[in-house]
Amino acid sequence: MSTDSPSPRLPAIGRRAVLGAAAAAPVLAALPSSASAAPATRGGPRRLQGGGDLGPNVLVFDPSTPGIQARLDEVFARQESAQFGTGRYALLFKPGTYHGLNAQIGFYTSIAGLGLSPDDTTINGDVTVDAGWFEGNATQNFWRSAENLALVPANGTNRWAVSQAAPFRRMHVRGGLNLAPTGYGWASGGYIADSRIDGQVGPYSQQQWYTRDSAIGSWLNGVWNMVFSGVEGAPAQSFPNPPYTTLQTTPVSREKPFLYVVGDEFRVFLPEKRTNARGVTWGNGTPRGTSLPLSRFYVARPGVSAATLNQALDQGLHLLLTPGIYHVDQPIRVNRADTVVLGLGYATIIPDNGVTALKVADVDGVRLAGFLIDAGPVNSPTLLEVGPAGASRDHSANPTTVQDVFIRIGGAGPGKATTSMVVNSRHTIIDHTWIWRADHGEGVGWETNRADYGLVVNGSDVLATGLFVEHFNKYDVQWNGERGRTVFFQNEKAYDAPNQAAIQNGSVKGYAAYKVGDHVTTHEGWGLGSYCYYNVDPTIVQHHGFAAPVRPGVRFHHLLVVSLGGNGQYERVINDTGAPTSGTSTVPSTVVSYP
């Protein structure tokens, strides 16, 4: 621990956000190819080619590249405070060792190594997120990522002070990791997966955090809700004091696809599914999975039409979305099993004229990863649909995964959507998402960026690991499918409800943050938290954060609700159980087990 570290026993934290502020590795067996289908019929559309250049906003470095630090600094200068800007960047490092770098990571910027293992690409230096742009407040450090690198921090500890939508995946920190900003201001993160931190992880002021299938030297403290599944070195379960929820394994996981190089050839690695997973996937040499050449991908550039993207998919190509903004006037339709849609540098899809941005058929093994969907000004019934209504096929052997796919309604401009994400396909794994109805930025208001539901799950056997859903006008999460499971949930109710009547749900005061359907017989959740900050009308009362049928098969572990500074209150935690929140004290009210 650094000499200027505060005591791990921190005071209560205030509101989350301040409004108005602005080498050749063995090539593993590839998947069966359908990209070599017969040429287009005479008179039909010209056949699209796979592969190609990644575009100007993907910066690829090797250890001999001159001026790396200057290029990193240039991107950061553009992106440091561009919270709702249009810049998108991916910073990619070929295997080797790099010396004396400090890669500061701003908005819509991803940094990643291009080896099969993080240890193939070592930075003697830091990959830093801090909050100087926001006067030391890290609660708006969104939309950035680090992946597949080994770090040897300059002073022994790397700083990664983030909040939502900022994954730290497949990283090896040969030292410690500090999750708080300089000065230990507010922070509201976050997510770590498939990573090894040799030293101590210090969350300090972080209100909540989820760590999955990793290894850590130690963990310093907890504020409200710290959840671990499959983490070697995790603290013992002790909720609510300290607020640690610890599962020895993760029920099902499959790591995010990632870009890597063999010589000068780009490929995409697809990690295999694990059950009852624990620890990293890359610790014993070559990871297990399959590999695809870039020629199997349609490499999309901003400005391409949805029709062209769908033509590529119909040809049997996968999609690689290079950094930028993509307007679509029809849904991107993923109809083929085992299709990969991978975004780089927070590639952003905006649906025009109220269409759904992306729809997945009821097929096996689709992988959606690494992109943002931004609602358009005309209301979309849904923004992302995984499986059509009534989907019922068994996908347990080869599930669809939704990883680092983020959804936003408002903030960058006017946006509306009745439901942000609908999951109808069985066995889907939602592994880290932030579904956010904006509470600040452009086009924000109770009706201006109207969005009633964040996530609706109708499919059975769906698993969520790292679920962040915030500020929806009605239910943030409505779970109708059987045998659903959630490991870690973070929520804030909508700040901007104008009055009590606006959120009245029949005879119930307010819509629960997480609602399990009345007919559901089996459901389970671990480490779930909901916060309220009704700043427009602080007298609003929310009856409970969680609602579920009272049945032996519907079980929750480690629930909490918090009133931020007394701006609104909860009467109960779940259903009619749990103590009310305590005035202006910003102290959680908890339920250890329900029922």
Side-chain angles (χ1 to χ4, degrees):
M1 182 162 44
S2 60
T3 56
D4 64 337
S5 300
S7 166
R9 299 186 63 183
L10 299 174
I13 305 302
R15 63 183 298 185
R16 182 186 63 79
V18 177
L19 301 181
V27 176
L28 305 182
L31 295 174
S33 174
S34 57
S36 56
T41 58
R42 187 174 301 170
R46 184 172 181 176
R47 190 168 184 81
L48 298 171
Q49 297 299 307
D53 185 80
L54 298 181
N57 286 11
V58 177
L59 282 62
V60 181
F61 305 107
D62 65 45
S64 67
T65 303
I68 297 176
Q69 186 65 57
R71 297 296 302 280
L72 297 175
D73 291 346
E74 179 187 359
V75 171
F76 180 64
R78 294 175 185 169
Q79 301 303 114
E80 179 181 11
S81 58
Q83 181 171 181
F84 297 113
T86 59
R88 304 287 188 273
Y89 294 91
L91 312 173
L92 305 182
F93 288 75
K94 289 186 175 182
T97 302
Y98 300 78
H99 297 282
L101 297 182
N102 180 18
Q104 299 184 80
I105 306 301
F107 286 100
Y108 313 110
T109 305
S110 298
I111 186 170
L114 289 171
L116 267 179
S117 164
D119 289 328
D120 293 340
T121 310
T122 298
I123 293 178
N124 287 301
D126 296 86
V127 171
T128 301
V129 177
D130 208 342
W133 75 278
F134 202 38
E135 300 180 348
N137 179 342
T139 60
Q140 292 183 23
N141 280 353
F142 312 139
W143 303 306
R144 64 200 74 199
S145 66
E147 186 174 359
N148 204 28
L149 292 165
L151 305 179
V152 184
N155 72 351
T157 299
N158 189 79
R159 186 183 301 278
W160 186 255
V162 299
S163 288
Q164 288 81 0
F168 197 81
R169 284 187 181 269
R170 200 177 170 77
M171 296 287 287
H172 185 187
V173 181
R174 299 176 192 162
L177 187 63
N178 183 341
L179 303 179
T182 299
Y184 303 96
W186 299 342
S188 185
Y191 177 91
I192 293 172
D194 199 24
S195 294
R196 181 180 297 277
I197 318 300
D198 292 346
Q200 183 176 73
V201 180
Y204 301 106
S205 54
Q206 284 286 356
Q207 294 166 357
Q208 70 279 315
W209 200 277
Y210 175 53
T211 308
R212 178 182 64 72
D213 298 355
S214 294
I216 61 176
S218 62
W219 190 273
L220 180 63
N221 72 290
V223 176
W224 290 340
N225 191 31
M226 301 289 164
V227 180
F228 309 83
S229 68
V231 179
E232 298 168 354
Q237 183 165 296
S238 57
F239 187 92
N241 188 26
Y244 299 147
T245 296
T246 302
L247 284 69
Q248 293 303 302
T249 61
T250 303
V252 189
S253 60
R254 190 175 68 191
E255 298 303 330
K256 175 179 172 285
F258 62 91
L259 205 61
Y260 73 108
V261 291
V262 178
D264 291 325
E265 178 197 6
F266 282 104
R267 300 183 68 89
V268 174
F269 193 83
L270 309 178
E272 71 172 22
K273 187 189 75 169
R274 299 200 291 171
T275 56
N276 298 317
R278 181 172 174 84
V280 301
T281 63
W282 46 269
N284 296 309
T286 304
R288 299 178 65 87
T290 55
S291 175
L292 293 173
L294 197 62
S295 60
R296 293 282 307 280
F297 286 79
Y298 177 71
V299 179
R301 298 281 195 94
V304 69
S305 69
T308 299
L309 295 174
N310 284 327
Q311 181 189 345
L313 290 168
D314 289 344
Q315 281 184 205
L317 293 169
H318 307 274
L319 296 183
L320 185 71
L321 304 176
T322 64
I325 296 174
Y326 298 76
H327 281 267
V328 296
D329 59 1
Q330 59 179 276
I332 300 169
R333 297 184 180 275
V334 179
N335 295 323
R336 178 173 49 90
D338 299 313
T339 299
V340 180
V341 180
L342 176 62
L344 300 179
Y346 285 80
T348 301
I349 303 169
I350 302 177
D352 294 332
N353 303 318
V355 303
T356 298
L358 193 151
K359 293 187 175 186
V360 181
D362 193 22
V363 294
D364 274 356
V366 171
R367 305 182 194 226
L368 309 179
F371 56 88
L372 171 65
I373 298 175
D374 211 350
V378 178
N379 185 75
S380 293
T382 60
L383 293 172
L384 174 60
E385 180 184 278
V386 182
S392 60
R393 295 177 59 184
D394 187 321
H395 302 294
S396 55
N398 187 14
T400 285
T401 45
V402 182
Q403 300 177 283
D404 302 346
V405 172
F406 308 116
I407 297 179
R408 177 172 69 195
I409 301 93
K416 292 186 177 182
T418 304
T419 303
S420 294
M421 185 190 299
V422 178
V423 177
N424 294 315
S425 286
R426 294 180 61 194
H427 302 101
T428 299
I429 301 171
I430 306 166
D431 176 45
H432 190 226
T433 188
W434 186 37
I435 305 172
W436 186 61
R437 176 181 168 266
D439 61 274
H440 63 275
E442 298 288 332
V444 171
W446 184 248
E447 296 295 342
T448 307
N449 62 328
R450 181 85 193 187
D452 285 350
Y453 307 101
L455 170 66
V456 175
V457 179
N458 297 317
S460 296
D461 308 290
V462 172
L463 170 66
T465 52
L467 182 58
F468 300 73
V469 188
E470 298 189 297
H471 305 151
F472 286 85
N473 295 78
K474 293 184 178 179
Y475 293 122
D476 298 274
V477 173
Q478 183 166 352
W479 204 299
N480 301 317
E482 287 287 355
R483 297 175 299 279
R485 292 175 291 182
T486 295
V487 184
F488 181 89
F489 172 68
Q490 187 265 332
N491 166 263
E492 283 183 344
K493 295 304 300 172
Y495 291 177
D496 55 348
N499 49 52
Q500 187 75 49
I503 65 162
Q504 192 67 20
N505 181 15
S507 62
V508 180
K509 299 173 185 174
Y511 289 81
Y514 189 109
K515 163 71 173 175
V516 179
D518 294 339
H519 64 281
V520 172
T521 61
T522 306
H523 188 92
E524 195 160 11
W526 297 262
L528 286 69
S530 177
Y531 321 150
C532 73
Y533 185 85
Y534 288 116
N535 66 317
V536 174
D537 182 358
T539 68
I540 289 175
V541 174
Q542 173 88 23
H543 181 64
H544 47 216
F546 304 91
V550 183
R551 294 193 178 98
V554 179
R555 299 178 294 173
F556 289 91
H557 317 271
H558 307 169
L559 301 172
L560 67 110
V561 296
V562 184
S563 168
L564 304 183
N567 291 274
Q569 299 290 342
Y570 293 92
E571 292 179 324
R572 295 289 183 264
V573 179
I574 180 169
N575 294 345
D576 295 318
T577 298
T581 49
S582 303
T584 61
S585 63
T586 315
V587 172
S589 180
T590 63
V591 168
V592 174
S593 182
Y594 183 87

